Amino acid sequence: MGTVIMHSVMSVDGFIADENDQVGPLHDWYFNGDTPITESSDGQYDHSGAGSGVKVPRASAEYVRSIWAAIGTIVMGRNLFDLVNGWEGKPPAGEHVVVVSHRPKPEGWHPEASYHFVDDVTAAIGKAQELAGERMVAVNAGEVGGQILAAGLVDEVAMDVVPVVFGSGKRYFGSITGQHLLEDPHVVIQSDRVLHLSYRVRRH
């Protein structure tokens, strides 16, 4: 089974969006850099296709490319699915998406897309791993991500920390309770307007 990584961009005080689901400057670094992260057919990196328009700081490029290339399945909550309309059936990375939701897929919504609606976080990770095979399962942070971490189903926690203070909003770990120990970070990359961190989850 591939690694399950909880991964999102967040403010220095731990928020992935404000109360109205606005991300403010959190994603600016994806577009303000000078290095495309997608590869064209002739082997040169450009910004066509998936990830269109994404040009990250040079210090971030190799890390972001490696993460995106490794993803087989994305796991997201229904709130994010509704906000972005499931990226119109074309996820930014990977081939499959599992949506944790008590409501089914909207009728007639992109029938060609490999999107699967599951109403339980344990079943969602099981389905995501089945679809991903040996590739990575990327879990979006927030309420669903926090539930998956609390259930002991996350292997690594990755954060792209942006130097902004939100003060309030939607938390990276949602409303998770209790303590959950992580190992020391095995990824620490200082870039332009973003700090990349990744921690393995400590197993008891």
Side-chain angles (χ1 to χ4, degrees), residues 12-76:
V12 292
D13 54 344
F15 294 99
I16 56 174
D18 67 16
E19 293 93 337
N20 299 314
D21 292 304
Q22 299 300 306
V23 296
L26 288 181
H27 294 175
D28 288 357
W29 65 274
Y30 272 122
F31 306 99
N32 290 347
D34 56 7
T35 309
I37 63 164
T38 54
E39 193 171 0
S40 65
S41 58
D42 62 2
Q44 297 297 311
Y45 282 95
D46 66 12
H47 49 265
S48 60
S52 178
V54 174
K55 297 181 80 170
V56 300
R58 192 170 302 276
S60 300
E62 184 177 346
Y63 174 68
V64 174
R65 283 179 193 147
S66 67
I67 292 281
W68 283 33
I71 292 171
T73 306
I74 291 174
V75 178
M76 66 193 306

Side-chain angles (χ1 to χ4, degrees), residues 75-79 98-103 116-121 124-125 144 147-148:
V75 178
M76 66 193 306
R78 186 58 182 257
N79 184 54
V98 174
V99 182
V100 181
S101 175
H102 295 296
R103 291 178 285 134
H116 307 265
F117 286 62
V118 180
D119 65 0
D120 171 81
V121 293
I125 292 299
V144 165
Q147 291 170 25
I148 293 170

Side-chain angles (χ1 to χ4, degrees), residues 24-186:
L26 288 181
H27 294 175
D28 288 357
W29 65 274
Y30 272 122
F31 306 99
N32 290 347
D34 56 7
T35 309
I37 63 164
T38 54
E39 193 171 0
S40 65
S41 58
D42 62 2
Q44 297 297 311
Y45 282 95
D46 66 12
H47 49 265
S48 60
S52 178
V54 174
K55 297 181 80 170
V56 300
R58 192 170 302 276
S60 300
E62 184 177 346
Y63 174 68
V64 174
R65 283 179 193 147
S66 67
I67 292 281
W68 283 33
I71 292 171
T73 306
I74 291 174
V75 178
M76 66 193 306
R78 186 58 182 257
N79 184 54
L80 180 57
F81 174 86
D82 289 342
L83 280 171
V84 301
N85 196 30
W87 303 296
E88 300 297 341
K90 297 176 181 177
E95 292 79 44
H96 313 282
V97 174
V98 174
V99 182
V100 181
S101 175
H102 295 296
R103 291 178 285 134
K105 183 191 298 186
E107 189 173 347
W109 185 89
H110 293 286
E112 78 290 350
S114 181
Y115 279 57
H116 307 265
F117 286 62
V118 180
D119 65 0
D120 171 81
V121 293
T122 302
I125 292 299
K127 182 65 175 178
Q129 289 184 313
E130 173 191 325
L131 292 165
E134 295 302 311
R135 300 181 73 192
M136 181 190 298
V137 172
V139 176
N140 280 293
E143 288 296 334
V144 165
Q147 291 170 25
I148 293 170
L149 177 66
L153 300 172
V154 171
D155 299 311
E156 296 184 20
V157 172
M159 304 168 170
D160 301 319
V161 184
V162 173
V164 59
V165 175
F166 269 38
S168 62
K170 305 296 177 69
R171 295 185 179 278
Y172 181 97
F173 292 104
S175 52
I176 193 172
T177 58
Q179 294 185 2
H180 301 268
L181 290 175
L182 309 177
E183 301 294 349
D184 291 335
H186 62 278

